[in-house]
Amino acid sequence: MSRVIRQIPLDTDTQHHAHDFHQIVIALEGSADFNIEGLGGSIESFSGCIVPANHLHYYTGTGNNRQLILDLPPDALALTGHHHELARLFDAPRFFTLDGSLRLYLEFLTAELALLDERNGRSDIDEERLATTLLGALHSRLTPGEISTGSHRRIDLHSLDRYIDDHLSSQLKVADLAAVACLSETRFTERFRMQTGLSPWQYVMRRRLEASRQLLQRSHLPLSEIAALTGFSHQSALSRAWRRAYGHPPSQLRRPDNTAIACGQASANVTLQS
């Protein structure tokens, strides 16, 4: 990566990849569609998405579009030292909308980058400082501190589970889950994390993995079909998720010498960073 902050259009043909650095994409003009390992959504002016490192994502730009992209390795200055708490932003993929204050800062950031380019050019430290302020503001909005839930209605997880299972092969958006709980997307995300200790995406991923495990054990369907049925964009996305959660690829579950693994996983919890 030569720059922390870039401004580029996204290809209007669907592309996909994964990379070993975190990424934030914010639409400046036009719009784009993303699917980040089963979490789908669209971004348009003053909204964006968070792509954690090593997460396979599909994306498509729409028409004349321009995106502000932050590329941040896990050891970036903006995510280490005094700023280490900002790394929580990348616990899981998510979509967000900038409020009025952040829109003003985004306008300042793009103007400042243009001014630096007109002068002697921008340095890495210039970009790190601008990126750190943006990350700090996003962190304060997307990862609020713990508050008492005693006076709040708890989310009905049984109803939510039924909805997720009924739509497992579809692109599930946080807004869809929030609608089931009759909450705004922001309030739902805050309350859900406090109630479960997981982000909505991490919770959905657990159910996708469990459903894929059941199909692997109880059917002879090919991995590509199991991936499609359980909401993974491609067989490689299913395999990647299995390696992160279980430490081995899904194909290993079907090997004759792995009966013990299959039995053991029937009661094992999927380990996901919360």
Side-chain angles (χ1 to χ4, degrees):
M1 297 178 298
S2 59
R3 281 189 167 178
V4 175
I5 306 174
R6 299 177 287 145
Q7 296 182 57
I8 61 169
L10 294 181
D11 199 320
T12 54
D13 292 326
T14 300
Q15 306 291 332
H16 70 280
H17 58 217
H19 35 67
D20 60 1
F21 51 89
H22 302 308
Q23 194 169 72
I24 291 179
V25 183
I26 301 174
L28 298 175
E29 297 175 10
S31 61
D33 295 319
F34 278 79
N35 184 300
I36 312 166
E37 294 204 359
L39 180 67
S42 299
I43 64 173
E44 53 189 17
S45 294
F46 299 117
S47 66
C49 63
I50 292 174
V51 183
N54 300 309
H55 279 57
L56 182 66
H57 50 287
Y58 288 71
Y59 58 92
T60 310
T62 302
N64 295 322
N65 70 92
R66 184 166 59 98
Q67 317 296 327
L68 181 79
I69 299 178
L70 278 67
D71 295 326
L72 298 158
D75 61 352
L77 293 177
L79 301 176
T80 56
H82 294 301
H83 309 298
H84 69 277
E85 280 295 319
L86 301 184
R88 280 196 60 197
L89 277 170
F90 302 97
D91 282 353
R94 69 184 81 185
F95 291 81
F96 60 85
T97 300
L98 302 182
D99 59 23
S101 297
L102 271 175
R103 292 185 183 196
L104 290 174
Y105 180 71
L106 187 65
E107 292 175 0
F108 166 79
L109 184 151
T110 54
E112 186 70 7
L113 290 175
L115 183 62
L116 289 170
D117 289 337
E118 288 176 6
R119 294 178 175 177
N120 297 325
R122 63 179 99 160
S123 66
D124 290 344
I125 196 65
D126 289 328
E127 295 191 354
E128 288 276 2
R129 287 168 177 162
L130 292 168
T132 300
T133 301
L134 177 60
L135 292 177
L138 282 174
H139 179 271
S140 68
R141 290 157 173 77
L142 300 179
T143 57
E146 297 295 319
I147 59 175
S148 172
T149 59
S151 61
H152 295 299
R153 173 177 57 85
R154 292 177 65 83
I155 294 171
D156 184 347
L157 293 180
H158 293 297
S159 296
L160 201 63
D161 287 346
R162 287 195 298 270
Y163 180 85
I164 293 170
D165 293 344
D166 288 344
H167 298 83
L168 210 57
S169 62
S170 307
Q171 283 192 19
L172 282 168
K173 301 178 182 179
V174 175
D176 299 329
L177 305 182
V180 174
C182 300
L183 293 168
S184 69
E185 187 172 340
T186 300
R187 183 61 58 84
F188 170 80
T189 300
E190 293 175 7
R191 199 173 295 180
F192 189 89
R193 183 181 282 277
M194 286 187 288
Q195 185 171 329
T196 67
L198 300 170
S199 72
W201 175 85
Q202 288 168 326
Y203 190 85
V204 170
M205 181 58 71
R206 281 192 172 188
R207 297 200 72 82
R208 291 193 195 282
L209 288 167
E210 174 60 19
S212 67
R213 186 185 63 78
Q214 296 287 341
L215 287 172
L216 282 164
Q217 290 180 303
R218 299 176 183 179
S219 77
H220 298 287
L221 293 172
L223 287 179
S224 58
E225 190 168 345
I226 290 176
L229 288 172
T230 54
F232 291 94
S233 52
H234 193 272
Q235 180 178 329
S236 61
L238 172 65
S239 296
R240 188 186 299 269
W242 263 71
R243 285 190 176 92
R244 277 205 307 269
Y246 299 126
H248 60 80
S251 57
Q252 187 171 331
L253 195 62
R254 284 182 166 172
R255 294 175 185 171
D257 58 344
N258 281 312
T259 305
I261 290 178
C263 293
Q265 283 182 346
S267 59
N269 289 324
V270 178
T271 301
L272 291 172
Q273 182 184 2
S274 62

